[in-house]
């Protein structure tokens, strides 16, 4: 049954793409409630609410993928399905999208990551028909995490377990020894009174990243680190750490 539904979705996607090429007005108005979806093992369905805050109707496509580009991602099979996959939204109205878990086996020793995508195509109009401009489709995506039942904590509670070590004062090696995806609002290193942002947005479970230090921080004495992890509701949990020779940054929660 699910394969038949997927085949139908693929056919609708091609119609959707061709239709979008006929539009020629730049417009965006559809928004999502929430910044992430967390599926706990055993849950079969979650609801994502969308709203059209604009003054014109919108044609909307939604799908789940693993982070591939829009068209390719819609054709990829994942353990989740968004229903309905295509819909029209009138101005000022809302639409609930059901995200259904299809029951396929996923790792039970760590979180799995997928993406919920929303593509909005602007409406046609008499003025747009006389214009030679191509339309712009507006894409929004948020993370979808599948969390095994054995993982009882939030990812934002893992901050003190992250290992931060300097390598020859030219790179920062960051290790995530936990089974959670760790998402960051910000990471800052301090040298005296100067603070510098470090480009780190997410760490995969049981992984590490080596981040070259900005030129302004190389061969400097680094004293502190501050960072903020994003929790299941999109809010932040703040952490700070002091550098200790031979141990790296010793982190505590603010």
């Amino acid at each position: 049954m699910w394969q038949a539904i997927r085949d139908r979705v693929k056919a609708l996607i091609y119609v959707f793409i061709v239709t979008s090429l006929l539009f020629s007005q730049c417009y965006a108005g559809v928004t999502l409630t929430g910044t992430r979806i967390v599926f706990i093992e055993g849950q079969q369905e979650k609801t994502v609410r969308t709203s059209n805050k604009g003054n014109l109707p919108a044609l909307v496509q939604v799908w789940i993928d693993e982070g591939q580009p829009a068209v390719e991602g819609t054709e990829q099979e994942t353990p989740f399905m968004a229903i309905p996959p295509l819909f029209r939204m009138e101005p000022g109205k809302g639409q609930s999208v059901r995200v259904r878990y299809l029951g396929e086996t996923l790792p039970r020793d760590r979180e799995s990551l997928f993406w919920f995508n929303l593509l909005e195509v602007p409406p046609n109009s008499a003025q747009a028909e006389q214009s030679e401009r191509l339309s712009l489709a507006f894409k929004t995506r948020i993370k979808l995490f599948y969390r095994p039942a054995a993982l009882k904590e939030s990812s934002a509670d893992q901050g003190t377990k992250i290992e931060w070590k300097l390598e020859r004062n030219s790179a920062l090696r960051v290790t995530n020894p936990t089974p959670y995806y760790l998402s960051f609002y910000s990471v800052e290193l301090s040298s005296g009174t100067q603070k510098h942002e470090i480009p780190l947005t997410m760490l995969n479970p049981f992984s590490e990243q080596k981040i070259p230090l900005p030129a302004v921080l190389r061969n400097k004495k680094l004293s502190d680190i501050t960072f903020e992890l994003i929790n299941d509701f999109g809010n932040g949990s703040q952490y700070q750490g002091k550098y200790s020779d031979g141990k790296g940054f010793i982190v505590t929660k603010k």
Side-chain angles (χ1 to χ4, degrees):
M1 179 182 68
W2 295 119
Q3 185 59 48
I5 294 175
R6 283 192 171 111
D7 291 341
R8 179 176 174 80
V9 170
K10 291 178 183 179
L12 289 172
I13 288 166
Y14 290 115
V15 174
F16 181 87
I17 293 169
V18 172
T19 303
S20 70
L21 294 176
L22 300 177
F23 296 153
S24 51
Q25 184 179 18
C26 181
Y27 176 79
V30 178
T31 61
L32 289 171
T33 300
T35 62
R36 59 206 54 239
I37 305 167
V38 180
F39 260 88
I40 306 299
E41 182 182 359
Q43 294 180 326
Q44 299 302 314
E45 190 172 284
K46 304 281 280 190
T47 298
V48 178
R49 292 178 173 82
T50 65
S51 300
N52 184 358
K53 298 186 180 299
N55 299 318
L56 296 171
L59 181 62
V60 178
Q61 176 194 13
V62 291
W63 71 95
I64 312 296
D65 65 21
E66 294 181 346
Q68 284 73 12
V71 175
E72 296 175 0
T74 55
E75 297 183 358
Q76 181 186 7
E77 293 188 4
T78 70
F80 297 91
M81 175 174 287
I83 306 171
L86 286 171
F87 53 89
R88 175 186 169 96
M89 293 188 71
E90 297 300 325
K93 300 295 184 179
Q95 171 73 48
S96 292
V97 177
R98 293 153 51 209
V99 180
R100 181 172 295 174
Y101 174 52
L102 303 182
E104 299 177 24
T105 302
L106 290 170
R108 303 189 67 180
D109 66 335
R110 69 193 66 197
E111 288 185 328
S112 298
L113 173 63
F114 302 89
W115 294 86
F116 177 94
N117 301 269
L118 182 147
L119 187 68
E120 173 193 357
V121 172
N124 204 356
S125 68
Q127 180 181 1
E129 289 174 355
Q130 298 173 4
S131 170
E132 294 181 354
R133 292 178 300 167
L134 270 179
S135 68
L136 292 178
F138 296 90
K139 179 181 176 182
T140 302
R141 69 175 191 166
I142 60 175
K143 296 172 182 175
L144 187 160
F145 298 101
Y146 178 85
R147 181 175 298 161
L151 304 184
K152 304 296 186 182
E153 299 178 320
S154 166
S155 57
D157 296 329
Q158 310 305 307
T160 57
K161 301 174 185 176
I162 305 173
E163 299 173 8
W164 309 83
K165 294 186 177 180
L166 295 174
E167 291 194 349
R168 300 178 182 177
N169 283 336
S170 63
L172 179 67
R173 184 174 294 277
V174 190
T175 303
N176 175 16
T178 80
Y180 297 87
Y181 279 90
L182 305 181
S183 299
F184 296 84
Y185 267 131
S186 62
V187 179
E188 287 186 337
L189 282 175
S190 299
S191 175
T193 58
Q194 295 183 331
K195 292 186 176 182
H196 301 275
E197 190 167 349
I198 300 300
L200 177 63
T201 57
M202 187 170 68
L203 283 173
N204 294 353
F206 306 121
S207 71
E208 67 177 25
Q209 288 189 32
K210 184 177 179 180
I211 306 170
L213 293 178
V216 68
L217 290 181
R218 292 177 186 173
N219 300 315
K220 293 288 185 66
K221 184 176 178 59
L222 301 178
S223 55
D224 300 89
I225 189 169
T226 58
F227 60 93
E228 192 169 2
L229 288 175
I230 305 173
N231 66 20
D232 292 350
F233 307 100
N235 301 317
S237 295
Q238 297 182 342
Y239 294 84
Q240 61 187 3
K242 293 284 186 181
Y243 186 74
S244 174
D245 288 336
K247 296 182 179 180
F249 291 94
I250 309 300
V251 174
T252 58
K253 192 170 185 178
K254 281 188 176 183

